[in-house]
Amino acid sequence: MTSLTAAYDGSAAVWGEGPDRVFGALAGALLESGPPWQGLDVVDIGAGTATATRRLLAGGARVVPVDASVEMLAVARRICGCHPVVGDALDLPLRTDAADAAVLGFVLNHLEQPAVALREAARVVRPGGWVLASTWARDKDQPVRELVQQTLQRRGWTAPRWYTLLKDRTTPLSDTAEALGRVAHASGLIDLECERVEIAVAASAHEQLAWRLGMPHTAPFVAALTPAERSDLWS
């Protein structure tokens, strides 16, 4: 198990208490750019706790959630009664031409070979189908993230090595429209649209804090604090 997968396993229990509320809005925006979902067979790659899967099901799609994190998928199964598949985005355990569409919500920025993931997504989609993908845009101005990380650092937190490598080496491969376009071209996809989109997320200060404290690089540290120390973070 990779450090990244282990980190997501470790944060699965608290994902719905914070991060899912933010990612839900982002997943909704991504899915709105796709086709009418009623009756379609869809693969949700990097499904996590079914943030996009739930919305696809509500839209009438038949969905197979795929993720490398067993614990994330266990939460997904409890939430929506879906039938998830444990699998690697770079080598999907699905047959060719199995779906009408594939969705990769904020997955590519975790992968050192994002073009391979898009190629795999295209492989499992029937000719003429859809591949929708989103990544975090390059943006160093995230005051909530900086405030939370500074607060945790004063309590002894240090960024895990996998997270540092992710930010320094992996995320920049796909965190601009131009970079994502290059990745998509390298994957063999055609009829491409890549653009930066600003999405408004209605989240209270409490929800934003829960988002950052529930992320895989912070959640294990927060969980190891005493109840009094955790309570102090929210004060």
Side-chain angles (χ1 to χ4, degrees):
M1 180 184 294
T2 66
S3 298
L4 179 58
T5 302
Y8 272 85
D9 275 341
S11 65
V14 297
W15 189 266
E17 298 173 13
D20 185 69
R21 299 179 189 182
V22 173
F23 280 92
L26 305 180
L30 175 63
L31 298 179
E32 286 174 5
S33 68
W37 297 106
Q38 179 69 42
L40 295 188
D41 295 314
V42 185
V43 180
D44 183 8
I45 302 170
T49 58
T51 304
T53 292
R54 298 196 303 274
R55 288 159 178 80
L56 287 164
L57 291 171
R62 295 179 293 272
V63 190
V64 176
V66 181
D67 202 287
S69 170
V70 175
E71 296 301 326
M72 284 279 191
L73 291 180
V75 174
R77 184 191 293 273
R78 289 197 299 271
I79 290 175
C80 65
C82 53
H83 300 285
V85 174
V86 178
D88 187 341
L90 305 181
D91 187 17
L92 294 171
L94 302 171
R95 63 177 175 82
T96 300
D97 296 344
D100 299 300
V103 173
L104 303 93
F106 300 95
V107 178
L108 299 181
N109 47 298
H110 293 81
L111 304 174
E112 295 181 2
Q113 297 175 288
V116 175
L118 286 181
R119 191 177 302 125
E120 268 293 274
R123 178 185 66 78
V124 302
V125 171
R126 300 175 187 115
W130 290 71
V131 176
L132 277 72
S134 57
T135 70
W136 285 108
R138 187 173 301 175
D139 184 3
K140 297 187 181 299
D141 184 20
Q142 294 188 19
V144 175
R145 179 190 65 190
E146 297 305 320
L147 176 61
V148 169
Q149 291 191 172
Q150 290 171 11
T151 301
L152 292 177
Q153 284 168 347
R154 289 196 293 270
R155 289 164 169 77
W157 175 82
T158 57
R161 177 169 172 74
W162 67 261
Y163 179 74
T164 301
L165 292 175
L166 184 77
K167 289 297 183 182
D168 292 345
R169 297 194 322 203
T170 308
T171 298
L173 298 175
S174 62
D175 66 354
T176 66
E178 295 75 19
L180 185 55
R182 289 192 294 270
V183 167
H185 278 292
S187 74
L189 290 174
I190 57 175
D191 193 17
L192 300 172
E193 292 184 19
C194 297
E195 61 179 333
R196 178 181 174 122
V197 178
E198 299 287 341
I199 301 170
V201 178
S204 65
H206 180 94
E207 289 170 335
Q208 292 183 55
L209 182 56
W211 164 40
R212 298 312 309 182
L213 293 178
M215 294 295 286
H217 58 286
T218 56
F221 178 84
V222 174
L225 297 174
T226 66
E229 290 171 329
R230 285 197 297 273
S231 177
D232 186 53
L233 286 175
W234 295 86
S235 62

